[in-house]
Amino acid sequence: MLFLESTQINSTFSLVPWAIFLPVMGILINLLVGKRFGERGSGMVASLATGLSFIVSVVLAVALGGHPEAVSVPLVEWISIGSFDVSWAFRVDTLSVTMMLVVSGVGTLIHIYAIGYMHKDVRHNGDPGRYNRFFVFFNLFIVAMLILVTADNYLMLFVGWEGVGLCSYLLIGFWFEKGAEGLGNARAAKKAFVVNRIGDFGLLIAIFTMFWYFGTLTFDGVFEQASALAVISPGVILAITLFMLLGVTGKSAQLPLYLWLPDAMAGPTPVSALIHAATMVTAGVYLIARSAPLFVLAPTAQAVVTWVGALTAIFAAGIALTQYDIKRVLAFSTISQLGYMVAAVGMGAFVAGMFHLVTHAFFKALLFLSAGSVIQGVERGMESGGHGHSEIDPQDMRNMGGLQKRMPVTFWVFLAGALALAGIAPLAGFFSKDEILAAASQQSIMIYVLLAAAAFLTAFYMGRQIFMVFFGKSRSEAAENATESPAVITTPLIILAGLSVLGGVLNLPGVHWLETWLEHTIEYTRPGEFVVWVAALSFVLAVLGIFIAWLIYGKRSIRPETVDPLEQKAGWLFHGLRNHWWLENLYHWLITDVYGERPYGSTADFMADGFDLKVIDRINSAIAQIVRQIGRGLSFLQNGYVRSYALYILAGVVFVFYLLLR
Amino acid sequence: MIPITYYLILAGILFTIGALGVIARRNAIVVFMSLELMFNAANLVFIAFAAYHKVLFGQIFVFFIMAVAAAEVAVGLAIIVMIFRTKKSINVDEMDALKG
Amino acid sequence: MPLFLQNLPDLLIFGTLAVLAVASALGMLFSRHAVYAALFLVLNFISIAILFLVLGAPFVALAQITVYAGAIMVLFLFVIMLLGSESLPGKSKLRFHRSVAVLFGLALLVEVGVLVITIWGDFPKTTGLSTVYADPTSLGLALFNQYTLPFEITSLILLVGIIGAISLILREHQTGQTSIPINEATGEKKE
């Protein structure tokens, strides 16, 4: 009765629940018997689960190739109250299968990488027993993300949305006792969760509004009725889309809710790669692409989305120039690239946005993973050189340098990823970024300028990073003694590098495979065009950026003590960028200053102590007290005398007799 | 002859007296005897119905009731004797060791 | 009225026996001394046995006298003598039980009355006294043919009763001490 009939579904499509249940089995196996398998075993179980999920996605993609229309595979009837009917159904269409392939494919590679990375990381941090837990959480993330992308209705999407938020929290705070003052990681995890919550609030309001006006939450149901509603009351559609945008800014780290992503780098590097580069943060972009019919009906919302994306792109790119931590540079780069994607889908170029999502997943994951390889190389150098762990920060780029000779494989893959990110033809990033720029050039010149400037800055900071990390002389003993990472780490890197280099074929101008593939689902997408001058200009900007970076950073080396040459040249700009234009301080002052008389802080205080503790807890204990008093009051009935019990029996007989006689 | 209902009323009265005896007497043996009185009331009902419907089964059932009651009395009295040995009293009010 | 006069002998017999039964029951209920209660109960059993006879069940009637009045009550008297019980001292701690029990008893009676009234007309009023259907022969035939299984089980029950009663008592002679050691002087349990 719970499981719905799916007899009409082509049997291949009914495989889609397996994509989720295989990682669930991975979780259960690792949870229950994982410790016995040892590190290799539990890592392999998790990677295998994700890998099988990838194979399921491939099978679905092949099946979809011959039958490109969307298919809905229902699984379980979930909520059925009155007219509110939500079931857990899987939607297999080109868009969701694309996301599934990315999530499970890149996820599998990162799992394999993590087998090697976490092996060293748990030893570096001193708790080898925690290895198993990592893979449980990792698989849990894959499950949640797949639920998100295969959902057939907004509520299941929200379930996945929340699930990935939870896994993000669990994994950022994986070393919860480490970090600044022993609390830093936990604080970062909490920050991620809370900021995401603000976004989730927006998404929830959008879902409520949708249910109120449409009576259904399935994608098909909503989109059918949306155009009718847009004629009657366009404000509703605008409200829905703007609230969705709030959710997107939270999950995909756009302005103004970007601030959790840089701190999320406190988590282990595979986490940063998978969650905060390739998949979770792209959920926002997926949401907008999925809700394309809604956004198309609200041009104002589209404009807002585009501006948010473009401003975030330039804002984050600027900040990335001033960061010294190798992962923070990449974090801000992610925010910036997400801004690109959000701007793209805001402009109606959904395919361009998705294309960039896919290629960005490749090279950003690659960059993060190679950064992890670099960090571990430096750590190995630290340990072999006899330095204590706290002496230098292995993630600070100012302590690196000259690693090209010491870690050649890592160098080449990092270079591939960086060039792809910067947009050097013919790597993947060039094509995807170029489509977005082309769309921008036709939409609005202001947006184009912002995005082009961000492209220039992207090339610049990536060049800066490469020169600081790999070229020049080693600036510390640790960097001098760094060694290459083992094969289990470098192999996924090489695969990802290949994908970054060749990924452009997905949507080459003129061939447009991805576009025709996605057009079955997203009908309103702006077709991708190849505008020659845009392409040429972006290529030139990219090369220019790298060249200037070489000029400033390549020739000299920078010690932690010396001042960054950029700071010398434009001190105030550098200073502002480094502090994110004091945006975080603004938030902090506005909202969270608990010890001042900030209304938010004191309200939170009141709710926690005054209300929750005193009122609600008292109600609970009062109920318990009532029960206890009733029990005490009735205890006189059990006086131990048989005669009393016989009397009760007689009373019962009389009563039953009476009932029978009525 | 007599309406059967007279017998039923008589049986009811005897049953009630027996029930009162179980509840109101403190001597364990008298309680047991009241129990026997209740059995007899039930027997009376059985025989009365057997007589009025000319069915043999009522009397056979009474036969069985008597046999079982005999066995029950034997065991019950043995238990009372055992209890008397330990508590030196047959006052049911003193047997409250299972008081909750 | 003619019916009443017709039935007068039966009514008289029934009335006498009924009054006797109830009176002896009440006597058992109210007597202070356990032996008197037992004797009253014997009287009750006998009156009920005669009622059985009137109702055309001679075998059961004599079985009642033999088994109930003759064996069971004798057993009761044995135990009463063995335990040497007198009327129990002191006031009961549960005096209110009596009133409540009487209340419930009256309620039960009322209900029986109601039941009786509702079925008043449903039964054949009269039947001749006949023992044809219930002579020992037919009883025995029915017992051994149709009701063999309950018969055998009853014999098992009796066996179990015997074994149980004996095993409960027997332990004392074997081990020489009761299951719970008693301090003779104070009557308290001792470990």
Side-chain angles (χ1 to χ4, degrees), chain A residues 37 76 127 144 171 226 232 235 269 332 370-371 389 420 440 442 475 497 520 522 556 571 582 588-589 603 622 630:
Chain A
F37 289 156
V76 177
D127 186 7
L171 284 165
I232 306 173
T269 309
F332 281 105
S370 3
H389 287 181
Q442 291 172 338
R475 290 188 283 277
H520 293 291
I522 315 176
R556 317 182 238 165
W582 295 279
H588 191 83
W589 179 80
T603 311
I630 291 179

Side-chain angles (χ1 to χ4, degrees), chain C residues 79-90:
Chain C
V79 174
I80 292 174
M81 293 309 179
L82 180 67
L83 302 187
S85 60
E86 311 80 27
S87 57
L88 295 170

Side-chain angles (χ1 to χ4, degrees), chain A residues 641 643-644 651 654 657-658, chain C residues 92-94 97 100 104 108 111:
Chain A
Y641 296 125
R643 298 206 281 143
S644 306
V654 168
F657 208 155
Y658 164 70
Chain C
S92 159
K93 291 177 225 158
L94 297 169
H97 264 42
V100 177
F104 281 126
L108 197 59
E111 284 171 355

Side-chain angles (χ1 to χ4, degrees), chain A residues 324-584:
Chain A
Y324 296 124
D325 186 319
I326 192 174
K327 280 171 71 172
R328 279 179 91 97
V329 175
L330 295 174
F332 281 105
S333 168
T334 306
I335 300 176
S336 174
Q337 296 303 308
L338 286 168
Y340 266 93
M341 293 181 226
V342 170
V345 293
M347 288 188 283
F350 298 105
V351 172
M354 289 302 296
F355 184 30
H356 198 55
L357 192 155
V358 173
T359 55
H360 175 264
F362 294 152
F363 51 71
K364 193 45 71 66
L366 170 63
L367 283 171
F368 265 111
L369 295 185
S370 3
S373 172
V374 165
I375 294 171
Q376 284 205 330
V378 172
E379 280 173 3
R380 274 190 287 269
M382 269 168 31
E383 281 153 18
S384 70
H387 288 287
H389 287 181
S390 55
E391 282 222 10
I392 58 164
D393 180 7
Q395 298 188 311
D396 193 329
M397 292 196 293
R398 296 173 289 188
N399 292 327
M400 301 178 192
L403 289 178
Q404 177 194 9
K405 299 179 197 57
R406 311 219 51 93
M407 305 178 70
V409 180
T410 309
F411 166 67
W412 282 109
V413 296
F414 196 99
L415 188 66
L419 290 180
L421 175 55
I424 305 286
L427 276 63
F430 169 70
F431 292 109
S432 55
K433 203 183 287 189
D434 177 66
E435 261 195 57
I436 301 180
L437 288 171
S441 68
Q442 291 172 338
Q443 171 97 339
S444 146
I445 199 69
M446 272 301 307
I447 302 280
Y448 175 73
V449 166
L450 285 176
L451 290 178
F456 170 73
L457 290 175
T458 306
F460 181 63
Y461 64 67
M462 282 320 292
R464 168 178 181 262
Q465 188 166 34
I466 292 190
F467 291 126
M468 277 180 90
V469 173
F470 291 105
F471 285 91
K473 284 201 299 230
S474 303
R475 290 188 283 277
S476 68
E477 269 194 50
E480 270 178 33
N481 298 325
T483 53
E484 185 58 79
S485 300
V488 68
I489 292 188
T490 53
T491 318
L493 292 179
I494 297 174
I495 299 179
L496 280 172
L499 285 171
S500 306
V501 169
L502 300 171
V505 305
L506 278 177
N507 207 20
L508 282 174
V511 186
H512 287 303
W513 282 345
L514 191 64
E515 188 167 322
T516 42
W517 173 254
L518 283 178
E519 236 166 17
H520 293 291
T521 311
I522 315 176
E523 291 147 11
Y524 308 94
T525 183
R526 180 199 294 262
E529 294 162 28
F530 188 69
V531 183
V532 180
W533 69 268
V534 166
L537 185 58
S538 63
F539 183 73
V540 165
L541 282 173
V543 172
L544 198 63
I546 297 182
F547 178 68
I548 297 183
W550 177 73
L551 278 180
I552 300 184
Y553 292 98
K555 287 194 173 168
R556 317 182 238 165
S557 59
I558 306 190
R559 286 210 166 278
E561 308 90 52
T562 62
V563 173
D564 193 307
L566 257 188
E567 192 171 353
Q568 287 172 327
K569 291 193 167 67
W572 59 273
L573 197 63
F574 188 85
H575 199 56
L577 283 172
R578 186 145 173 78
N579 290 309
H580 313 190
W581 299 113
W582 295 279
L583 205 54
E584 290 206 40

Side-chain angles (χ1 to χ4, degrees), chain B residues 1-10 12-30 32-34 36-37 39-41 43-45 47-57 59-60 62-71 73-75 77-82 84-94 96-97, chain C residues 7 10-11 14 18 21-22 25-26 28-32 34 37-38 41 44-45 48 51-52 54-57 59-60 63-64 68 72-73 75-76 79-80 82-83 85 88-92 94 97-98 101-102 105 108-109 112 116 119-120 123-128 130 133-134 138-139 142-143 147 150-151 154 157-158 161 165 168-169 172 178-179 182:
Chain B
M1 300 300 284
I2 308 164
I4 190 178
T5 47
Y6 289 11
Y7 287 100
L8 299 183
I9 297 177
L10 174 64
I13 295 175
L14 288 177
F15 187 86
T16 311
I17 295 176
L20 286 178
V22 169
I23 293 174
R25 295 293 304 243
R26 278 180 296 148
N27 192 330
I29 300 181
V30 176
F32 229 129
M33 292 198 291
S34 314
E36 292 303 314
L37 189 56
F39 274 123
N40 269 296
N43 286 353
L44 188 59
V45 173
I47 299 291
F49 273 112
Y52 274 80
H53 288 280
K54 303 279 194 296
V55 172
L56 204 54
F57 179 67
Q59 303 192 9
I60 292 181
V62 168
F63 179 83
F64 288 132
I65 291 180
M66 277 191 208
V68 173
V73 163
V75 177
L77 287 176
I79 291 177
I80 291 183
V81 172
M82 286 297 302
F84 179 76
R85 281 206 189 121
T86 57
K87 288 190 86 85
K88 290 287 188 274
S89 156
I90 48 170
N91 184 354
V92 291
D93 282 348
E94 288 183 23
D96 59 353
Chain C
N7 294 334
D10 305 297
L11 212 53
F14 172 75
V22 173
L26 286 171
M28 184 210 80
L29 188 62
F30 287 123
S31 52
R32 283 284 132 230
L41 196 59
N44 187 60
F45 285 166
I48 290 188
L51 267 176
F52 285 171
V54 166
L55 277 173
F59 179 75
V60 177
Q64 165 100 342
Y68 259 109
I72 292 180
M73 290 320 296
L75 196 58
F76 266 113
V79 174
I80 292 174
L82 180 67
L83 302 187
S85 60
L88 295 170
K91 283 223 162 72
S92 159
L94 297 169
H97 264 42
R98 283 195 209 162
V102 166
L108 197 59
L109 275 177
V112 170
V116 157
I119 65 167
W120 190 273
F123 292 96
K125 273 213 178 41
T126 63
T127 172
S130 75
Y133 76 101
S138 45
L139 204 66
L143 208 51
Y147 301 104
F151 187 71
T154 309
I157 291 177
L158 289 171
L168 276 171
I169 305 295
E172 198 218 345
T178 56
S179 0
I182 297 279

